[in-house]
PDB file of all heavy atoms in Angstrom:
ATOM      1  N   ALA A 294       5.946 -20.125  12.933  1.00 91.00           N
ATOM      2  CA  ALA A 294       6.798 -20.985  13.750  1.00 91.00           C
ATOM      3  C   ALA A 294       8.260 -20.877  13.318  1.00 91.00           C
ATOM      4  O   ALA A 294       9.171 -20.832  14.152  1.00 91.00           O
ATOM      5  CB  ALA A 294       6.318 -22.438  13.650  1.00 91.00           C
ATOM      6  N   VAL A 295       8.490 -20.829  11.998  1.00 90.00           N
ATOM      7  CA  VAL A 295       9.861 -20.687  11.492  1.00 90.00           C
ATOM      8  C   VAL A 295      10.433 -19.330  11.894  1.00 90.00           C
ATOM      9  O   VAL A 295      11.617 -19.209  12.225  1.00 90.00           O
ATOM     10  CB  VAL A 295       9.885 -20.872   9.962  1.00 90.00           C
ATOM     11  CG1 VAL A 295      11.266 -20.551   9.403  1.00 90.00           C
ATOM     12  CG2 VAL A 295       9.491 -22.293   9.599  1.00 90.00           C
ATOM     13  N   LEU A 296       9.598 -18.294  11.871  1.00 89.00           N
ATOM     14  CA  LEU A 296      10.035 -16.966  12.301  1.00 89.00           C
ATOM     15  C   LEU A 296      10.539 -17.002  13.743  1.00 89.00           C
ATOM     16  O   LEU A 296      11.617 -16.479  14.060  1.00 89.00           O
ATOM     17  CB  LEU A 296       8.882 -15.974  12.160  1.00 89.00           C
ATOM     18  CG  LEU A 296       9.079 -14.581  12.760  1.00 89.00           C
ATOM     19  CD1 LEU A 296      10.156 -13.825  11.995  1.00 89.00           C
ATOM     20  CD2 LEU A 296       7.765 -13.798  12.751  1.00 89.00           C
ATOM     21  N   VAL A 297       9.767 -17.633  14.623  1.00 91.00           N
ATOM     22  CA  VAL A 297      10.170 -17.727  16.025  1.00 91.00           C
ATOM     23  C   VAL A 297      11.463 -18.540  16.149  1.00 91.00           C
ATOM     24  O   VAL A 297      12.381 -18.167  16.897  1.00 91.00           O
ATOM     25  CB  VAL A 297       9.045 -18.357  16.867  1.00 91.00           C
ATOM     26  CG1 VAL A 297       9.502 -18.566  18.307  1.00 91.00           C
ATOM     27  CG2 VAL A 297       7.799 -17.477  16.837  1.00 91.00           C
ATOM     28  N   ARG A 298      11.548 -19.651  15.410  1.00 90.00           N
ATOM     29  CA  ARG A 298      12.744 -20.483  15.503  1.00 90.00           C
ATOM     30  C   ARG A 298      13.987 -19.740  15.033  1.00 90.00           C
ATOM     31  O   ARG A 298      15.055 -19.824  15.661  1.00 90.00           O
ATOM     32  CB  ARG A 298      12.567 -21.752  14.675  1.00 90.00           C
ATOM     33  CG  ARG A 298      13.685 -22.777  14.885  1.00 90.00           C
ATOM     34  CD  ARG A 298      13.641 -23.863  13.851  1.00 90.00           C
ATOM     35  NE  ARG A 298      13.983 -23.370  12.528  1.00 90.00           N
ATOM     36  CZ  ARG A 298      15.223 -23.172  12.093  1.00 90.00           C
ATOM     37  NH1 ARG A 298      16.254 -23.391  12.906  1.00 90.00           N
ATOM     38  NH2 ARG A 298      15.448 -22.731  10.869  1.00 90.00           N
ATOM     39  N   ARG A 299      13.885 -18.980  13.940  1.00 88.00           N
ATOM     40  CA  ARG A 299      15.041 -18.237  13.450  1.00 88.00           C
ATOM     41  C   ARG A 299      15.483 -17.167  14.444  1.00 88.00           C
ATOM     42  O   ARG A 299      16.661 -16.831  14.529  1.00 88.00           O
ATOM     43  CB  ARG A 299      14.723 -17.577  12.107  1.00 88.00           C
ATOM     44  CG  ARG A 299      14.564 -18.535  10.942  1.00 88.00           C
ATOM     45  CD  ARG A 299      15.814 -19.365  10.707  1.00 88.00           C
ATOM     46  NE  ARG A 299      16.987 -18.572  10.450  1.00 88.00           N
ATOM     47  CZ  ARG A 299      17.372 -18.144   9.262  1.00 88.00           C
ATOM     48  NH1 ARG A 299      16.640 -18.431   8.189  1.00 88.00           N
ATOM     49  NH2 ARG A 299      18.477 -17.442   9.109  1.00 88.00           N
ATOM     50  N   SER A 300      14.531 -16.626  15.207  1.00 91.00           N
ATOM     51  CA  SER A 300      14.909 -15.627  16.214  1.00 91.00           C
ATOM     52  C   SER A 300      15.662 -16.246  17.379  1.00 91.00           C
ATOM     53  O   SER A 300      16.283 -15.535  18.169  1.00 91.00           O
ATOM     54  CB  SER A 300      13.664 -14.902  16.730  1.00 91.00           C
ATOM     55  OG  SER A 300      12.886 -15.742  17.575  1.00 91.00           O
ATOM     56  N   LEU A 301      15.599 -17.597  17.500  1.00 91.00           N
ATOM     57  CA  LEU A 301      16.257 -18.298  18.606  1.00 91.00           C
ATOM     58  C   LEU A 301      17.520 -19.020  18.165  1.00 91.00           C
ATOM     59  O   LEU A 301      18.070 -19.820  18.933  1.00 91.00           O
ATOM     60  CB  LEU A 301      15.281 -19.316  19.237  1.00 91.00           C
ATOM     61  CG  LEU A 301      13.996 -18.743  19.836  1.00 91.00           C
ATOM     62  CD1 LEU A 301      13.060 -19.863  20.258  1.00 91.00           C
ATOM     63  CD2 LEU A 301      14.302 -17.826  21.012  1.00 91.00           C
ATOM     64  N   ASP A 302      17.975 -18.761  16.921  1.00 87.00           N
ATOM     65  CA  ASP A 302      19.146 -19.480  16.405  1.00 87.00           C
ATOM     66  C   ASP A 302      20.409 -19.192  17.209  1.00 87.00           C
ATOM     67  O   ASP A 302      21.250 -20.069  17.405  1.00 87.00           O
ATOM     68  CB  ASP A 302      19.386 -19.116  14.932  1.00 87.00           C
ATOM     69  CG  ASP A 302      18.531 -19.961  13.999  1.00 87.00           C
ATOM     70  OD1 ASP A 302      17.920 -20.931  14.489  1.00 87.00           O
ATOM     71  OD2 ASP A 302      18.467 -19.657  12.794  1.00 87.00           O
ATOM     72  N   ALA A 303      20.579 -17.956  17.656  1.00 86.00           N
ATOM     73  CA  ALA A 303      21.784 -17.607  18.421  1.00 86.00           C
ATOM     74  C   ALA A 303      21.698 -18.210  19.814  1.00 86.00           C
ATOM     75  O   ALA A 303      20.636 -18.180  20.445  1.00 86.00           O
ATOM     76  CB  ALA A 303      21.942 -16.097  18.500  1.00 86.00           C
ATOM     77  N   PRO A 304      22.792 -18.771  20.307  1.00 86.00           N
ATOM     78  CA  PRO A 304      22.751 -19.390  21.647  1.00 86.00           C
ATOM     79  C   PRO A 304      22.420 -18.354  22.726  1.00 86.00           C
ATOM     80  O   PRO A 304      22.829 -17.199  22.650  1.00 86.00           O
ATOM     81  CB  PRO A 304      24.178 -19.936  21.841  1.00 86.00           C
ATOM     82  CG  PRO A 304      24.852 -19.830  20.523  1.00 86.00           C
ATOM     83  CD  PRO A 304      24.097 -18.871  19.685  1.00 86.00           C
ATOM     84  N   GLY A 305      21.681 -18.835  23.721  1.00 82.00           N
ATOM     85  CA  GLY A 305      21.384 -17.982  24.866  1.00 82.00           C
ATOM     86  C   GLY A 305      20.599 -16.730  24.517  1.00 82.00           C
ATOM     87  O   GLY A 305      20.858 -15.662  25.091  1.00 82.00           O
TER      88      GLY A 305
END
Side-chain angles (χ1 to χ4, degrees):
V295 173
L296 171 67
V297 175
R298 189 192 68 81
R299 290 301 302 272
S300 73
L301 299 173
D302 276 350

